[in-house]
Each structure stands twice: as C-alpha cells, then as structure tokens.
Amino acid sequence: MSRLINVSNRLPVRIDSSGTAHRTTGGLASALEGAELEQEQLWIGWPGRAVEDFEDLGVVHNAMEVEGMRPVFLTAAEIDGFYEGYANSTLWPLLHYMVERASFSNAWWHAYQRANERFAEVIVKEAKDGDMVWIHDYHLFLLPSLLREKTDKDLRVGFFLHTPFCSSDLFRVLPERAEILRGLLGADVIAFHTYGYLRHFRSSLLRVLGLESDVEGVWHGGRQVRLGVYPIGHNHLGFQREMARDEFAELVEKHRRELNGKRLILNVERLDYTKGVPEKLAAMRRFLETTPDKRNEVVFVLIAVPSRQGVEEYDLLTEEVQQGVGAINGDFGRVGHAPVQFLHRGFPMKDLAALYTLAEICLVTPLRDGMNLVAKEFIDCQDADGCPGVLILSEFTGATEELAQALQVNPYDVDAVSDALNRALDMTEDERRARIAPMQSRVRSQHSGVWARRYLHDLASVPEREKQVVVADMKPLAEDVVEKWRAGDRVGLFLDYDGTLRDFVDVPDEAVPDPGLPQLLQALASHDRLSLTIVSGRAPQFLETHFGGLGITLVAEHGYRWFEADGEEWTLFNPHVDTTWKDLIRAQLEQASLLTPGTHVEEKQSAMVWHYRQADPEFGRWRARELLDELTQTAANLPVTVHHGQKIVEVSSLQVSKGLAVDALMTRQRNDVAFVAGDDQTDETMFALEPKGVDFYTVKVGKASTRARYRTDITGVRLFLETLREEVERIHA
Ligand code: GDG
C-alpha cells in the first residue's frame, strides 16, 4: 500500500528547549486521525523555530523521527522572508481580498522560493516510488512543480488550499502570479474548499497563462492536472469524544453557573484581521444600543486565540479590539455585569465543546474565510432535539455554501448583524430545530475524516507517472513507416497545417511556414511511392503562396477544393455542394462579432467562421458557448455541422470535410500506408476513416480528446518528418 507524506508549513509538534518533541493536535492532524487511514504516514514540515535556536539538530531530528516526522530546518532570515514576509504579508492578505494590506518585496519572494526548495529537498530525499505526497496551503505553492523537476520517482502529488482563492482580478496584482500558478500545476490534483475558489483559479490560469481548463481539469506539460472541490469538515470525532466523557456534564454545569443566567452569544476565532472582529464589535454595540430590553439578558464571550504576536499589524489589532471591548463595557456594563468578555487565550477542546453546547448564538462573521470550522463545530455540539442555538454566519465564508439554514449576514453591514442577533434571540424553538437539523446531519456526515479520505481516494486514483505519458515516440514511428516504404508500399502523408506544422499566432496571415518546412516537404514528396498532402482549412491562395510548385497536393477550405501534385489548377472536390445556408448563419455570426470586441467573421466557400482569439479570453469563451447553443438550433435542419475549435466557432457544409477529401485522395494515390496528423476537431473526420487495405496511422497534435491512436506535439510532427527524410535519403544513397 502506498505511503502518505503530509507536507505542511507547520508540523503538529512542539519542540521544547531541550529538543524534545511534543505532539499537538492541529486541525489537519485531527482530520487525518478521523480518516482512520490504514496506510503508513509521514509528516514533513518546519518544526516552528529557527535552526539557530536548536542546540543539537541531531537530537531534534531523532525526536521527530519517533513521531513519524521529518524537519525542514529554516534559518531565522528565511523564516522572516518566507513565512512572515511572502506567505503572511503578501499571499495571505491577497488571497483574502485585502490587497491594501498586502506588501510586496523581491527579497521575500526569493526567500519563499528558497524555502520551497528546502521542502522539496527533504521530500525528494524521503520519498519512495508509489508514495502519495499531500501538500497543504499557500506557503508551499511552488512545491508541486519543484518535486516534478527534482525527481523521477513515481509520486502522486496533491495540493489543498485552505484559504480562499481570490478573484483573478486580484490575483493578477501579484508580481509573481505566473510562477505561482506554474508551481501549482506540478500537482496531480489541486483542490479547493468551494466551487467559487476553483472558478477563480481557472480564470487565473486562463488570464495569466492562457490555459483553458474544463470540469475535468487542465492539460499542462502533457499531463492532466485534476481540479476539485473538497470542502473540509471539522473534527467531529474529537468533539464527540470530549462530549461523551463522564465529566463533561459537570464541565457544562460549571460554565453555565459562570454565565449567571445570561444568554450566551459565543465568538471563537484566531485574532486575525480577516476574522472581522472590529466590525463585529461595532455590530454588538449597535445591538446593545437598539435593544435595551435584551441588553441585560445577554453576554458576548469573545474567545480570541492570539495569532502572530510580535507582528505590528496583529499587535495593533489586539489593541484595537481591547479598546473596543473596553468602550462597550464602559458604555453598557453594570455593576457585576460586563456585556463583552474578551478572553485572549486558547482553551482546551473540552471547554470549547462545553461552550458550544451552551451557546444560544454562535456569531461567525469573518470578512473572508476559506471555510470556517468554528461554525461547523458549534452546529455539531448543539442539542438539535431540545432548544438548539442559532448560527449567524458571514456570507463571505466557504462554510456558507454548506450551511444554508444559518442566518446569513454581510459582516460589513452593522445593522444587518445587529438585526440578526435580535432575530435569533426571538426565534421560536420550532424554527431553530428546523434550521439546525439539516446542517447537523451534514456536518456530522461530512466531517474532517471523511474529507481526508475522499481527497486521498481521488489522489490515489491518479494513474502512475508512466501511464500518463500520452506522447508517442515519433522517431520509431517514422522508422516503422520507412520500413514499409522500403518493402514497396505506397505511402501517403496527410498533414494539417495550423497547429500541426506551425504554431498559432494572433494574426493568421502571419503564421507563415519557417524557412526549412517547404524544403523538407518538397524533399519528402520527391521520392517515388511517397506522396504528401497538406489538408487545411485555409483559403487556396495562402496554401499556394507557401506550398505551391513543391510537388505536394494541397487541400484547401477543409476539403472544398484541391490542387493535386500533378494537377494544373484548383478543382472543386464536389461541384454540387449547397451553400445557400450561409446567409442565415452569417447574420448570427455578425451579431456575435458586433457584441464581442476583438472578434470577427471569416467567410469561406463552404464554411463560415467566427474568430475570438483576440477577445477577452473569458468573455470570448462565454460568447462562443452562447453562439454554439443558438447555432445548434438554427442548424438543425441545414446540411451543415457546427464545431467549437481553437478560439473559433465554425459552421461548415456537411458535404465537405477533410475526411471525405482524404478518403478520395487515398484511393487516387493507391496508398498502402497513410499517415494522418492534425490538431483540431475538423481533423477528427480524417481520424475517423477506416480505409480498407490501408495501414492507417492517426496522430493527434495537442491535448484535446481524440479518436486518433497516437498523440504528439508540433515538435513531434517535425521530428517524424525529419526522421523520415533522413531514413529515405539514407536508403536511396
Ligand atoms: C484556516 C482557514 C479553514 C480556536 N480557538 C481555540 C481552538 N480553535 C480552533 C477551532 C477551529 C480552529 O481553531 C479554527 O479554524 P477556522 O476554520 O475557524 O480558521 P483558521 O484557523 O483561519 O483556518 C479556514 C481552515 O484553515 C481549515 O481548512 O476553515 O478558513 O483560514 O477548529 O475550534 N481550539 C482550541 N482552543 C481554542 O481556544 N482547542
């Protein structure tokens, strides 16, 4: 069974001054505990202190080994630039939409790169063929590709992002946006909490790298990178264990007495600016101002675990919160009662569980939050059959999608949050039960263990590295064809042009062949029993300008006309083709081009094409989908076919196709062997042929799905042709 290597910046361990390791139960560690995996596990990460702080690294190493961990040691300077700097002061605010808080520094970026390299080195050293490597969070965006570069071991690499992935408009602010995306694309499965984050990631791929993706993922470097949505769950088993303890009822009673008969409004969070604590204080103040009748009934308990102490921004936030709490208590407190209790420290899990049980309201109002587990923990700990509490939840948390029955609020809207508090306190028991029941059954069934198992199951199903190789080895393929030719077979080569012999460019007329290409094709076609045909969607003139007079056959406009190698002029493949449908289609395409800047309509003899290569990539694709829908309806009774190609939507005559032309040419040329290569949908009509008595090689150029037997890229096609030429000339010499 494959081993699981978890990689996160922080390890679930605390190293004391003597170098002894103490295991801690962080969120991830408990998630994996709940997953009850049978496979062997190893953790790799930073032990939480600078390497200079450890007296004896060997001792630390050994202590961690006992815990199934391997340390990635970082110097104080590296931690400063990588962790405090790039990860927490650039990426964290940006991913949470707080661009004004983000700082940018070249030195931090270099430290981030170096730290990711350090992680990669430790993993490469530890990993064995067949291991699964699960990388966590924004600190390690570059790691997936670094692993791919640094080792050939057969690893399945997964990445999970715990924060939001911000809109591509914000992400593009990042100077290193392209490097970050390329770093991630080294993974086999990239996962997010919500579909929204996944969508933003896909837009960023398209806008920053020009990479199209679909529901199955994205093709990159000849592999498919899967994209997925895996909303994390909370540590249900851990909370249930605490609540099942004999002493739990006693603990709940103790806290109940402390509440002094007040109705508990609970807040639990790390003291981070994304959690919206000052905004929440403003809403509490509004509530106390506007509901004097309830003012003395409630107590707000604010458990705020200290976070990133010593960082100025966080220290200022702590001060702001302390002052805000003081001011509210000053204005609304009475002898013996302060409406807000600010507890600036962590509590044991059992106390948290007891408070979740007792709370009448849980007020979860982050300005942005990847998921938010506090909301799920509260729902789990409530008694759904009694008089359960109410969850007030910010609509800017990932959890909001799953917890639709919560009272959803905009955390910036002080009145709305205050109203929600009022409404929750007045809510009937029936409504409370009706709201909590579906949420409780969901969070209990989709807990952290289930989440981890589901993700790891999908990561395990990624094919092994060798099996992912879809690129055909073109040299042996060429040698194979030459062997048959030498034995006396007639060989026909049928090659598409754009995307097969030449890369795409923005202006189609600029896609002229490189100087060596016509010469190469001519040389090949000069041999007996070897014929060469360019089968293109282009107009005759372009083909004639670049490939006329070379002894090769030209097929233009997807098979509408051809110019045979030994012919005198262009002739129609089928003189009876009906093109009266063009008027109807032209109107629709021209409308689309008017509505979409950067697009235009091209008219061919037997086809009409709408081009959107120069449009805004997302808008262009969106409009193309709309157009396809419309055209499919219009075209239902016309002798045409509609297809979505490389940044084009094309409507072409059914009586004409590359496949029909190639079929006819193979007969005329009496081919025994035919080699067909092409990159887009129109080339599939060639691949679909089943010519009798012909040894038929079909090669797809590029990554899209295909009926072809082999797959390669433009360089592969060139290698094939050059090998063919060398071999044939060697035999002749
Ligand atoms: C990141 C993302 C995403 C809090 N106080 C105490 C305590 N906690 C525990 C809670 C909860 C956890 O800390 C906080 O998790 P959140 O999900 O609310 O937020 P982040 O720490 O920001 O986590 C977040 C998460 O990763 C998982 O992917 O949901 O969006 O930002 O479990 O119970 N635990 C104890 N004492 C405390 O005083 N024992």
Side-chain angles (χ1 to χ4, degrees):
M1 180 177 281
S2 66
R3 185 172 61 155
L4 173 63
I5 302 182
N6 293 301
V7 188
S8 57
N9 176 51
R10 289 300 298 271
L11 288 169
V13 72
R14 189 174 54 78
I15 314 276
D16 67 20
S17 48
S18 69
T20 314
H22 303 271
R23 206 157 174 139
T24 56
T25 46
L28 195 58
S30 54
L32 289 160
E33 225 170 72
E36 295 171 333
L37 304 170
E38 281 147 25
Q39 69 205 117
E40 186 191 341
Q41 293 184 37
L42 182 73
W43 280 83
I44 293 180
W46 171 51
R49 301 167 73 167
V51 68
E52 299 91 324
D53 289 353
F54 295 117
E55 259 174 41
D56 187 339
L57 295 186
V59 171
V60 177
H61 215 285
N62 293 343
M64 291 183 68
E65 198 159 327
V66 175
E67 297 292 334
M69 298 180 192
R70 300 286 182 280
V72 179
F73 289 116
L74 299 172
T75 64
E78 280 168 344
I79 295 161
D80 201 45
F82 151 68
Y83 179 66
E84 304 294 352
Y86 201 77
N88 287 334
S89 304
T90 308
L91 292 172
W92 173 267
L94 196 64
L95 292 167
H96 287 87
Y97 288 76
M98 301 190 172
V99 66
E100 70 289 348
R101 287 186 184 265
S103 310
F104 303 91
S105 142
N106 245 330
W108 290 353
W109 166 243
H110 293 310
Y112 185 82
Q113 287 174 303
R114 268 199 311 280
N116 274 254
E117 296 247 358
R118 292 274 172 109
F119 274 82
E121 284 155 16
V122 176
I123 298 169
V124 167
K125 191 159 154 253
E126 291 293 337
K128 300 194 291 259
D129 275 331
D131 282 350
M132 292 204 280
V133 181
W134 193 8
I135 302 167
H136 291 268
D137 235 358
Y138 60 99
H139 313 88
L140 302 172
F141 276 147
L142 305 179
L143 195 46
S145 284
L146 285 172
L147 286 181
R148 213 160 271 284
E149 280 163 29
K150 286 182 188 291
T151 178
D152 287 333
K153 288 181 191 165
D154 175 27
L155 306 177
R156 287 174 186 79
V157 179
F159 185 93
F160 188 84
L161 183 65
H162 290 261
T163 66
F165 195 94
C166 60
S167 131
S168 65
D169 261 349
L170 258 102
F171 186 74
R172 281 157 65 205
V173 165
L174 197 64
E176 302 80 17
R177 59 210 185 163
E179 288 92 330
I180 295 279
L181 293 176
R182 281 196 211 102
L184 269 170
L185 287 172
D188 293 304
V189 181
I190 304 176
F192 304 88
H193 286 305
T194 72
Y195 179 65
Y197 307 157
L198 169 64
R199 207 162 30 79
H200 294 320
F201 178 68
R202 288 182 53 195
S203 306
S204 301
L205 287 179
L206 185 63
R207 286 171 178 274
V208 177
L209 300 181
L211 277 181
E212 300 252 8
S213 53
D214 57 30
V215 278
E216 288 175 9
V218 50
W219 280 89
H220 181 70
R223 304 175 300 120
Q224 189 189 36
V225 180
R226 300 184 195 184
L227 306 176
V229 176
Y230 300 78
I232 197 170
H234 71 295
N235 180 8
H236 165 66
L237 304 180
F239 276 95
Q240 291 302 317
R241 199 168 42 229
E242 292 300 340
M243 289 166 66
R245 287 190 207 283
D246 292 343
E247 45 306 354
F248 187 67
E250 217 173 284
L251 186 66
V252 171
E253 272 320 302
K254 178 183 147 246
H255 287 300
R256 196 193 300 278
R257 280 194 301 277
E258 283 166 357
L259 287 172
N260 231 343
K262 304 286 180 206
R263 303 168 82 179
L264 170 60
I265 303 178
L266 184 63
N267 306 267
V268 180
E269 48 242 327
R270 258 186 325 105
L271 198 48
D272 187 282
Y273 49 80
T274 59
K275 304 288 182 184
V277 181
E279 290 76 3
K280 178 146 67 184
L281 289 174
M284 290 176 183
R285 170 175 282 281
R286 182 66 47 87
F287 169 80
L288 294 168
E289 271 164 10
T290 52
T291 52
D293 54 321
K294 297 201 177 75
R295 192 180 290 164
N296 295 322
E297 289 177 17
V298 300
V299 60
F300 290 96
V301 171
L302 221 148
I303 295 182
V305 186
S307 182
R308 299 177 196 161
Q309 282 172 310
V311 174
E312 194 189 355
E313 200 165 19
Y314 285 79
D315 291 347
L316 285 175
L317 175 66
T318 309
E319 237 176 83
E320 185 185 351
V321 171
Q322 275 163 345
Q323 278 173 10
V325 169
I328 295 179
N329 286 337
D331 291 345
F332 299 97
R334 289 181 306 124
V335 177
H337 177 59
V340 186
Q341 294 184 8
F342 178 48
L343 308 173
H344 192 208
R345 59 182 190 274
F347 282 80
M349 192 172 181
K350 58 182 183 205
D351 289 286
L352 218 53
L355 290 167
Y356 282 140
T357 309
L358 283 168
E360 192 171 333
I361 296 178
C362 190
L363 187 57
V364 179
T365 55
L367 305 179
R368 280 291 160 179
D369 212 337
M371 173 53 69
N372 192 285
L373 294 176
V374 168
K376 294 186 171 183
E377 292 161 4
F378 165 72
I379 295 288
D380 190 12
C381 294
Q382 284 282 310
D383 175 9
D385 300 324
C387 178
V390 181
L391 173 64
I392 299 180
L393 181 61
S394 157
E395 58 192 63
F396 299 119
T397 61
T400 197
E401 288 188 7
E402 290 176 273
L403 304 177
Q405 294 80 10
L407 289 186
Q408 308 225 350
V409 291
N410 170 358
Y412 293 91
D413 185 343
V414 171
D415 287 318
V417 178
S418 159
D419 289 350
L421 283 166
N422 202 10
R423 179 162 171 224
L425 289 168
D426 287 342
M427 195 179 280
T428 64
E429 274 187 36
D430 282 348
E431 185 177 351
R432 289 172 183 227
R433 277 195 293 266
R435 283 179 180 271
I436 210 158
M439 295 197 281
Q440 193 172 71
S441 78
R442 184 178 174 99
V443 301
R444 287 185 174 173
S445 66
Q446 302 299 314
H447 62 78
S448 56
V450 175
W451 164 81
R453 276 188 95 93
R454 196 181 135 231
Y455 181 85
L456 291 169
H457 171 270
D458 290 356
L459 183 60
S461 71
V462 168
E464 288 167 24
R465 274 203 187 180
E466 305 86 87
K467 293 191 190 140
Q468 291 175 8
V469 179
V470 285
V471 178
D473 205 345
M474 297 307 280
K475 215 172 152 89
L477 209 63
E479 286 159 2
D480 201 25
V481 171
V482 170
E483 263 323 296
K484 290 175 181 162
W485 175 80
R486 187 220 283 267
D489 280 354
R490 291 176 177 279
V491 175
L493 307 176
F494 299 92
L495 310 170
D496 165 51
Y497 177 66
D498 293 277
T500 300
L501 293 173
R502 175 72 168 89
D503 256 330
F504 285 96
V505 294
D506 282 347
V507 182
D509 278 345
E510 289 174 6
V512 298
D514 64 273
L517 183 64
Q519 206 194 1
L520 170 64
L521 302 183
Q522 183 176 28
L524 279 168
S526 68
H527 295 283
D528 271 356
R529 290 179 289 107
L530 219 171
S531 54
L532 200 145
T533 306
I534 291 189
V535 193
S536 170
R538 292 224 179 216
Q541 203 199 342
F542 179 91
L543 296 181
E544 208 174 335
T545 308
H546 297 290
F547 301 105
L550 301 180
I552 64 185
T553 297
L554 306 176
V555 175
E557 294 165 347
H558 298 112
Y560 185 66
R561 21 175 141 233
W562 63 33
F563 197 133
E564 284 185 275
D566 51 2
E568 300 280 305
E569 58 181 356
W570 287 95
T571 45
L572 287 186
F573 166 68
N574 174 354
H576 309 294
V577 173
D578 168 14
T579 53
T580 50
W581 50 268
K582 279 165 69 180
D583 294 340
L584 199 63
I585 299 295
R586 184 183 301 110
Q588 267 178 290
L589 300 193
E590 277 172 359
Q591 178 67 8
S593 128
L594 272 179
L595 295 176
T596 327
T599 68
H600 68 276
V601 180
E602 182 193 2
E603 181 154 358
K604 298 179 179 174
Q605 292 300 329
S606 66
M608 304 277 310
V609 192
W610 179 70
H611 292 261
Y612 65 98
R613 183 165 294 275
Q614 285 161 297
D616 173 282
E618 279 181 292
F619 188 41
R621 198 173 51 172
W622 182 71
R623 187 71 84 197
R625 295 239 166 92
E626 196 178 58
L627 188 59
L628 280 166
D629 266 3
E630 285 170 22
L631 289 171
T632 318
Q633 289 184 23
T634 321
N637 295 315
L638 299 175
V640 297
T641 159
V642 180
H643 103 272
H644 192 181
Q646 306 267 15
K647 306 273 185 187
I648 57 158
V649 172
E650 174 153 7
V651 183
S652 52
S653 167
L654 265 180
Q655 293 157 299
V656 172
S657 77
K658 287 184 172 184
L660 289 171
V662 169
D663 203 25
L665 283 170
M666 281 192 294
T667 311
R668 292 164 81 99
Q669 297 172 358
R670 293 184 290 124
N671 295 134
D672 305 299
V673 176
F675 174 93
V676 180
D679 72 307
D680 87 4
Q681 198 59 34
T682 60
D683 301 311
E684 295 292 321
T685 58
M686 304 193 281
F687 303 150
L689 295 173
E690 289 174 359
K692 287 218 170 60
V694 179
D695 213 343
F696 198 49
Y697 293 81
T698 50
V699 179
K700 176 81 170 182
V701 182
K703 60 203 181 181
S705 61
T706 182
R707 304 175 69 142
R709 173 136 173 250
Y710 300 101
R711 194 189 289 280
T712 188
D713 53 16
I714 293 182
T715 335
V717 176
R718 196 60 176 253
L719 176 68
F720 174 86
L721 295 173
E722 272 158 7
T723 311
L724 210 62
R725 176 187 177 172
E726 274 165 31
E727 292 292 306
V728 168
E729 286 176 357
R730 196 172 50 80
I731 291 166
H732 259 187

